[in-house]
């Protein structure tokens, strides 16, 4: 599946002439990766996100860090934004008992919560598009929701193992369930 996905992406890049487009230049302050990604990427089109990004990191003194982005800075940017955004302390995501992540239902009540989730999705999409591996494990029911698929009883343990166990016990119960 991964090879097919990568082949489709490469065909899309070639047909869109991605190698010939000017990079979208972004400046990211160390320690403010999510905020800067939000402010600079929230209004970018899907086509702009598919094109090259030229990342410049800004040090704590406000000066650009030395370095030419040959892919390493982009990878660091994508990795840091996703790592920071999915941190449960930020409030956008929470973890199941197994440590699998899903969007926190209360995230929409955070200041710019839905927009931050959208930008996080764009950054994850950019990583997928560019073949950057991220160390993130999403819960199966959350992945199904993103893909527009239905979740079934098999995915319930990743959300709430106790509810799953209770439902299975009820399903197998031989007596009168009304008791």
């Amino acid at each position: 599946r991964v090879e097919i996905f990568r082949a489709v992406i490469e065909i899309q890049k070639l047909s869109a002439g991605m190698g010939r487009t000017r990079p979208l230049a972004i400046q990211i302050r160390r320690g403010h990766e999510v905020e800067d990604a939000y402010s600079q990427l929230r209004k970018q089109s899907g086509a702009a996100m598919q094109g090259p990004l030229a990342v410049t990191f800004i040090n704590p003194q406000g000066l650009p860090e030395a370095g030419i982005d040959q892919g390493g800075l982009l990878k660091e940017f994508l990795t840091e934004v996703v790592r920071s955004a999915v941190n449960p302390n930020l409030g956008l995501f929470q973890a199941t008992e197994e440590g699998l992540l899903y969007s926190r239902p209360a995230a929409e009540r955070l200041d710019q919560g839905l927009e931050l989730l959208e930008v996080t999705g764009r950054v994850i999409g950019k990583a997928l598009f560019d073949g950057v591996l991220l160390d993130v494990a999403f819960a199966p029911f959350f992945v199904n929701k993103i893909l527009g698929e239905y979740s079934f009883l098999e995915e319930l343990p990743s959300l709430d193992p106790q509810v799953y166990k209770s439902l299975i016990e009820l399903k197998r119960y031989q007596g009168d369930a009304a008791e």
Side-chain angles (χ1 to χ4, degrees):
R1 289 184 187 184
V2 173
E3 289 177 11
I4 294 170
F5 176 74
R6 296 297 328 142
V8 169
I9 295 296
E10 289 306 314
I11 291 169
Q12 186 174 352
K13 285 180 179 181
L14 290 172
S15 67
M18 291 297 172
R20 297 184 303 272
T21 59
R22 273 187 54 211
L24 174 62
I26 58 173
Q27 294 187 339
I28 305 297
R29 296 171 295 157
R30 295 282 183 189
H32 300 275
E33 289 88 354
V34 174
E35 297 92 337
D36 290 350
Y38 171 75
S39 67
Q40 296 180 53
L41 299 178
R42 66 188 170 112
K43 294 188 178 180
Q44 296 299 325
S45 68
M49 290 298 295
Q50 290 177 354
L53 289 182
V55 178
T56 302
F57 281 103
I58 306 298
N59 68 21
Q61 291 76 31
L63 301 171
E65 292 181 2
I68 298 173
D69 192 357
Q70 297 293 319
L73 295 177
L74 175 63
K75 180 179 179 181
E76 181 182 356
F77 163 70
L78 296 172
T79 303
E80 283 300 309
V81 169
V82 173
R83 184 190 58 75
S84 298
V86 301
N87 183 334
N89 294 330
L90 184 61
L92 296 175
F93 289 84
Q94 63 189 56
T96 65
E97 290 180 12
E98 293 83 24
L100 302 173
L101 297 167
Y102 63 99
S103 63
R104 182 176 298 220
E108 68 181 322
R109 291 188 292 249
L110 295 173
D111 186 35
Q112 301 169 331
L114 291 178
E115 293 87 358
L116 283 167
L117 282 171
E118 182 179 350
V119 169
T120 302
R122 287 175 176 228
V123 171
I124 292 169
K126 177 66 175 166
L128 288 170
F129 193 79
D130 287 356
V132 175
L133 296 177
L134 300 172
D135 188 20
V136 180
F138 291 114
F141 68 88
F142 180 63
V143 173
N144 285 348
K145 182 69 174 172
I146 290 172
L147 296 175
E149 297 175 0
Y150 292 103
S151 289
F152 297 97
L153 190 60
E154 294 78 25
E155 286 86 23
L156 184 57
S158 69
L159 174 62
D160 194 329
Q162 186 59 43
V163 170
Y164 174 77
K165 182 180 174 189
S166 297
L167 286 174
I168 294 300
E169 287 176 7
L170 183 60
K171 180 179 174 184
R172 294 180 181 155
Y173 184 66
Q174 297 296 322
D176 184 8
E179 297 173 353

